[in-house]
Amino acid sequence: MTTELPPAERSQSEARPGLSGSTPATDIAVVRRTLRRLTLVVTTVVLFSIPALFALAGIRALHEHAVLDAAVTAQRVADHATTAGAGWRQAPKDLLPVLDLTPTMGIQVERTLLGPEGGVLMTPTAPVARPVLRSRASVMLDGTRLGEVVVAVSLRAILIETALVFGFAALVAAGLHLVIDRVALRALRQALDHLQAALRERDRALQETSDALALLGRQNARLKTTSEELSRARDAALTADRSKSMFLAAMSHELRTPLNAIIGFSEVMARQLYGPIGHDKYRDYAADIRASGDHLLALIDDVLDLSRVEAGKLSLRREPLDVVEQVEGCCRLVNGRAVDAGIDLQCVADNAADPRILGDRVRFRQILLNLLTNAVKFTERGGLVRVETETGPDRAVTVRITDTGIGMSSVDLERVFRPFERVDVGASRPTEGAGLGLALSRALVREHDGELHVSSVPGQGTVVTLTFPGLTGRSVSDQRRQMSLEDALRDDDAAAL
């Protein structure tokens, strides 16, 4: 329900500036009236304050002069009385030079000498123009009051000067009124034009802002819907990831039991521990079964390690490790495979130092075996795989594995550390494995506080550099540290390697 004002009241409300119906024009009119009033106040203050201040300053100076003149004249009269003795009053003419001795400094001054009873002893020879400002001083001699000196100073000169200053102030006030009334009002009119133009721009900007806000509202609604869908998809992905990890852990564990039996029984059959097998082919089949079982068990171990990493349950048991001993042991394990592939495997150690680190023996050997196996796997017959161990000046231990294999391109280097990713070597050269070795190796190196760098050129080979902090200054006690999925699987450094 709305209530309208009567026409008369509505017109008055619209006519009054500053109300709801005010416009820039009415606001400017109010400012102009206020400015005129302010101009009147300023000119009035200038017109009267300057002459008043000048007059007060002049009167104060005259008063100080009259007081000083009266005091000096009274002292001179007292000195004359001391010289003339008791009969100094009987010769008034002798006092005239005494009264005229005090300089006037260009000011009209008259001096009158009064007796102790107030009678006039000496009158001024030439009275000054009125009005005057008077000052009195007693004539004292040995504590006795002999008379009083009255000094009168003319105010006519200061009044004339004040009138001149008043005229000057009037000119200044008129100039201020003219400047403020003309210049300021012209500036206000220009400001009004700019204000109206700015209002038009504001209205246009407000309309554009309103349209943009409406568009943003629609986009916000779509973003909210998309965010909810992404949140549901993320929850579903997390649930699926947890289910996958649990499934991998369970299946890897369950598969190991029958595989161990298959591997054990196939070895018993291949060695003919309980008697000869009827045909040599069966013995070859048993050897193939065992080799396949070993390969499948290695894949399951990798998958199981990956599931442990994802679950954050892979821990390390740290102990002092002789790096040269571990490297030579891994080289001996891989040497048979290298000989079969026609590859020269060299192991070179820096004997000048004792490279030792704090690490997990099993996991450290797993790192070396994965990298050595890859180097042998991707090197052609007649190639070279070289393992070098060095100790830096800061006791840091470096293990460098260099091969003359097929190498990798920059694209392969960006994805080689991703789980289940394998380098494309063509159909003519099949490769084994599930693509988990390098991802787990880099995770294990990081867990040992080390770094793994890979550099490669297609057709010229690959260099893998492992760097670990030395044992000096580190705790030798057993430690168990859990490795996160982010550390194991991230590939943000692959391009830089």
Side-chain angles (χ1 to χ4, degrees):
M1 180 177 180
T2 58
T3 303
E4 295 184 357
L5 293 175
E9 295 182 5
R10 185 167 61 250
S11 61
Q12 293 177 1
S13 175
E14 294 174 354
R16 284 195 294 260
L19 298 178
S20 60
S22 64
T23 62
T26 57
D27 294 338
I28 293 294
V30 172
V31 173
R32 291 178 64 182
R33 286 196 297 270
T34 304
L35 186 59
R36 284 201 175 99
R37 293 170 185 167
L38 180 61
T39 303
L40 181 61
V41 172
V42 171
T43 54
T44 303
V45 170
V46 171
L47 181 62
F48 291 101
S49 62
I50 295 178
L53 292 175
F54 180 82
L56 289 175
I59 292 173
R60 180 177 180 181
L62 289 177
H63 178 264
E64 293 177 354
H65 180 80
V67 171
L68 180 61
D69 189 283
V72 172
T73 304
Q75 184 62 39
R76 292 183 181 278
V77 172
D79 295 341
H80 175 75
T82 301
T83 304
W88 67 277
R89 294 189 184 90
Q90 280 69 31
K93 293 182 179 181
D94 296 338
L95 293 173
L96 184 59
V98 175
L99 295 178
D100 293 338
L101 283 176
T102 305
T104 60
M105 294 185 295
I107 301 174
Q108 296 183 14
V109 179
E110 63 177 26
R111 303 179 181 90
T112 304
L113 180 60
L114 303 179
E117 296 82 8
V120 177
L121 298 180
M122 180 65 66
T123 59
T125 57
V128 298
R130 270 36 183 181
V132 297
L133 178 66
R134 288 185 172 84
S135 178
R136 299 172 180 269
S138 299
V139 180
M140 304 296 293
L141 182 63
D142 297 333
T144 304
R145 185 174 179 274
L146 301 180
E148 188 177 28
V149 176
V150 180
V151 176
V153 181
S154 176
L155 295 177
R156 176 173 293 183
I158 194 66
L159 293 178
I160 293 173
E161 293 174 355
T162 302
L164 294 176
V165 172
F166 184 82
F168 174 74
L171 292 176
V172 173
L176 285 175
H177 183 274
L178 182 63
V179 169
I180 296 176
D181 188 65
R182 299 297 181 187
V183 177
L185 289 180
R186 184 180 296 110
L188 282 176
R189 283 194 294 271
Q190 294 177 355
L192 177 60
D193 296 338
H194 289 299
L195 180 60
Q196 290 175 344
L199 287 175
R200 290 192 294 269
E201 291 294 332
R202 184 200 65 179
D203 294 339
R204 185 161 50 250
L206 286 176
Q207 182 61 37
E208 294 176 356
T209 304
S210 178
D211 297 339
L213 286 176
L215 178 61
L216 285 176
R218 293 191 295 270
Q219 292 179 349
N220 186 36
R222 289 196 296 268
L223 286 175
K224 185 177 180 181
T225 303
T226 305
S227 177
E228 293 175 353
E229 294 176 354
L230 289 176
S231 179
R232 289 193 295 269
R234 181 199 60 189
D235 296 339
L238 290 176
T239 302
D241 185 69
R242 286 193 296 268
S243 300
K244 181 260 298 181
S245 299
M246 294 175 61
F247 172 78
L248 287 177
M251 290 303 297
S252 299
H253 179 73
E254 294 298 328
L255 287 173
R256 287 174 64 89
T257 301
L259 272 176
N260 287 330
I262 293 173
I263 294 172
F265 293 151
S266 62
E267 184 177 2
V268 170
M269 295 171 63
R271 293 183 179 181
Q272 304 182 53
L273 296 180
Y274 297 105
I277 300 178
H279 199 284
D280 290 341
K281 277 290 185 180
Y282 293 149
R283 187 173 61 253
D284 296 338
Y285 291 158
D288 293 340
I289 292 173
R290 180 165 184 243
S292 300
D294 288 337
H295 175 63
L296 183 57
L297 183 60
L299 294 180
I300 292 174
D301 286 339
D302 288 341
V303 174
L304 185 58
D305 286 341
L306 179 61
S307 65
R308 288 174 180 171
V309 168
E310 292 178 343
K313 295 181 179 179
L314 184 63
S315 59
L316 301 181
R317 179 174 294 276
R318 294 173 180 263
E319 59 180 320
L321 297 179
D322 186 338
V323 177
V324 173
E325 178 184 347
Q326 301 302 319
V327 170
E328 290 177 349
C330 292
C331 287
R332 285 194 296 270
L333 292 176
V334 180
N335 187 59
R337 183 169 183 174
V339 171
D340 294 340
I343 297 171
D344 183 13
L345 178 60
Q346 299 179 1
C347 184
V348 181
D350 183 6
N351 297 324
D354 182 21
R356 297 172 65 83
I357 66 171
L358 191 66
D360 187 298
R361 184 182 304 272
V362 175
R363 298 302 178 184
F364 185 75
R365 292 173 71 89
Q366 182 179 358
I367 297 170
L368 296 176
L369 289 174
N370 282 341
L371 297 177
L372 288 173
T373 303
N374 282 345
V376 172
K377 182 192 307 182
F378 294 105
T379 301
E380 300 287 349
R381 179 174 294 275
L384 171 66
V385 175
R386 181 181 177 88
V387 185
E388 299 173 282
T389 305
E390 300 175 355
T391 303
D394 56 351
R395 305 295 298 173
V397 179
T398 301
V399 179
R400 187 176 297 103
I401 302 174
T402 306
D403 65 65
T404 60
I406 61 175
M408 291 181 288
S409 65
S410 58
V411 176
D412 292 332
L413 285 176
E414 292 178 358
R415 60 185 182 88
V416 71
F417 288 105
R418 299 173 188 169
F420 304 105
E421 291 279 355
R422 295 192 297 179
V423 178
D424 186 10
V425 295
S428 61
R429 185 183 179 92
T431 59
E432 301 175 352
L436 296 174
L438 283 179
L440 288 175
S441 296
R442 188 177 70 165
L444 291 173
V445 169
R446 287 178 174 174
E447 191 65 15
H448 283 81
D449 301 325
E451 296 181 358
L452 187 151
H453 295 279
V454 177
S455 61
S456 183
V457 178
Q460 298 183 17
T462 303
V463 178
V464 180
T465 305
L466 306 176
T467 305
F468 300 93
L471 186 60
T472 304
R474 296 172 57 88
S475 173
V476 187
S477 61
D478 288 346
Q479 302 179 35
R480 288 185 178 272
R481 297 177 54 191
Q482 290 188 348
M483 181 164 42
S484 64
L485 175 62
E486 179 183 2
D487 287 338
L489 304 183
R490 68 186 180 196
D491 58 349
D492 51 349
D493 296 335
L497 299 177

